[in-house]
Amino acid sequence: MRMNAFWRSVVIMAFLAFMIIPLIATFMFSISTRWDRSLLPEGLTLEWWKTVTSRGAFLLTIKNSFYISLATAFALGVLVTPTVYWAYIKLPRGKVIFEVMSAFSFGIPGVILALALIRFYSGVPLPLINTTNILLLACMELSFPFMYRPVANALDSIDVRTLTEASQSLGGNWLQTLTRIILPNIMPGVMSGFLLVFSTVFAEFTLTNLLIGARFKTFPIYLVEFTRFDGRQASALAVISFVMAWAVSLLILWVTRKRAIPTGGGPVAGH
C-alpha cells in the first residue's frame, strides 16, 4: 500500500510539473528583457505587458471573446440539456444520433467546417454571413460534444425514468420535472459542459479568423498578431488568457455552489 501511495504521488507530481512548468516559463519569458543566450533571463521588465495592455484593442478583444464564449455556452446548455433529457425519456435509441453528431466536430477540421458553413448559409435568406451570428452557430457546432458528453454522462448516473415517473405521479409536468428534479441532479454535468465549451470557444482562432476576421476581433486573433513580431508580448497575452480562463471557471463554480438548488423535500407540482 505504501508503495502504491508513493507511485501515485510521483505520478501526480509529474503531471503537475508537466502542466505548471510551461506556464511558469511562458510568464518568465514575458517579463524578460532577453532570454536566448543563457539558461535564465538576462533581465526583467514589465514593458511587454504595458505594451499589449495599453492598446485599445486589448479590452475590445477580451469583451468580444467573453461575449461569444458565454453566448455559445449558454445557448448549448439551453438547447442540449432538455433535448438530451427528452431523448432519454421518449427516444432512447435516438442517443446514437447524438453520438454521431458529437463525432463530427472531432473529425472535421476547423477550416473545412468554416468553408462548409459559408457555402451553406450563403443560400439561406437570413443575415448570417460576415456577422457574429454565423460565428455563434459555428462555435456551437464545434463545441457541441463538450456540452453533450457531460450532460449525457450525468443523465446516465441517475435513474432518469424513475425520477420522471415519480414527478409525474405527483402532478409535475415535463418542464417542472426537468427544472426541479432532473436539472438539480445533473447540474455538475451541465456546469462541466459549460466550462468546457467556454474554454474551447475562448481560445478558438480558426473559425473566427475565417468567418469574420477583423470585423469581430477576438482575443486569440489579437494574440496571433503579436506572435508575428515579438514572442515576449505574445507570451504576456498567453498568460493573461490562461489566467482569465481559470478565473472565470473558478467564479462559475463558486456561484454554482452558492446557488445550488436543494433536491430534498418540497412538492413537485407546487401543492
Side-chain angles (χ1 to χ4, degrees), residues 15-253:
F15 175 77
L16 292 176
F18 177 79
M19 297 296 293
I20 295 176
I21 290 178
L23 179 62
I24 296 176
T26 303
F27 173 74
M28 292 300 299
F29 185 61
S30 69
I31 60 174
S32 64
T33 56
R34 185 165 184 172
W35 194 5
D36 58 356
R37 296 182 300 186
S38 61
L39 183 62
L40 297 176
E42 298 181 15
L44 301 178
T45 180
L46 293 176
E47 182 64 28
W48 319 124
W49 285 70
K50 295 179 181 178
T51 301
V52 298
T53 57
S54 61
R55 295 191 177 186
F58 175 73
L59 293 179
L60 177 63
T61 54
I62 290 178
K63 183 187 72 173
N64 291 342
S65 292
F66 270 103
Y67 167 76
I68 197 67
S69 301
L70 293 174
T72 303
F74 180 78
L76 277 178
V78 173
L79 178 65
V80 171
T81 304
T83 304
V84 176
Y85 167 62
W86 178 85
Y88 268 63
I89 297 300
K90 301 294 185 180
L91 194 64
R93 295 183 180 180
K95 291 188 291 183
V96 178
I97 300 176
F98 290 100
E99 297 291 344
V100 174
M101 290 174 57
S102 64
F104 284 158
S105 298
F106 295 111
I108 301 178
V111 176
I112 297 178
L113 178 61
L115 295 177
L117 288 172
I118 293 174
R119 287 290 301 272
F120 176 78
Y121 287 114
S122 60
V124 177
L126 293 173
L128 295 176
I129 301 299
N130 296 329
T131 67
T132 55
N133 297 324
I134 191 173
L135 178 61
L136 176 62
L137 294 173
C139 290
M140 290 176 64
E141 170 63 26
L142 176 71
S143 55
F144 169 77
F146 302 107
M147 178 61 72
Y148 165 72
R149 179 48 54 194
V151 172
N153 290 341
L155 287 171
D156 287 334
S157 66
I158 64 176
D159 194 341
V160 178
R161 189 168 297 277
T162 299
L163 290 174
T164 301
E165 292 175 352
S167 173
Q168 292 174 348
S169 67
L170 295 174
N173 56 35
W174 183 86
L175 182 60
Q176 289 174 322
T177 301
L178 173 63
T179 57
R180 302 182 63 180
I181 302 300
I182 301 300
L183 189 58
N185 283 280
I186 65 171
M187 185 57 69
V190 175
M191 294 311 304
S192 296
F194 190 97
L195 294 176
L196 287 173
V197 172
F198 175 85
S199 58
T200 300
V201 178
F202 192 87
E204 177 56 39
F205 168 78
T206 304
L207 289 179
T208 307
N209 190 45
L210 292 176
L211 293 175
I212 299 183
R215 286 181 293 273
F216 188 78
K217 187 179 293 185
T218 58
F219 196 76
I221 294 179
Y222 186 64
L223 190 154
V224 170
E225 290 179 353
F226 282 91
T227 61
R228 298 170 180 172
F229 57 87
D230 196 327
R232 292 166 297 187
Q233 297 179 22
S235 297
L237 289 174
V239 174
I240 293 173
S241 177
F242 181 86
V243 171
M244 285 191 300
W246 267 100
V248 171
S249 301
L250 293 175
L251 177 62
I252 293 174
L253 291 175

Side-chain angles (χ1 to χ4, degrees), residues 1-10:
M1 295 296 293
R2 291 183 177 179
M3 185 62 66
N4 292 336
F6 170 76
W7 285 112
R8 189 183 302 112
S9 301
V10 170

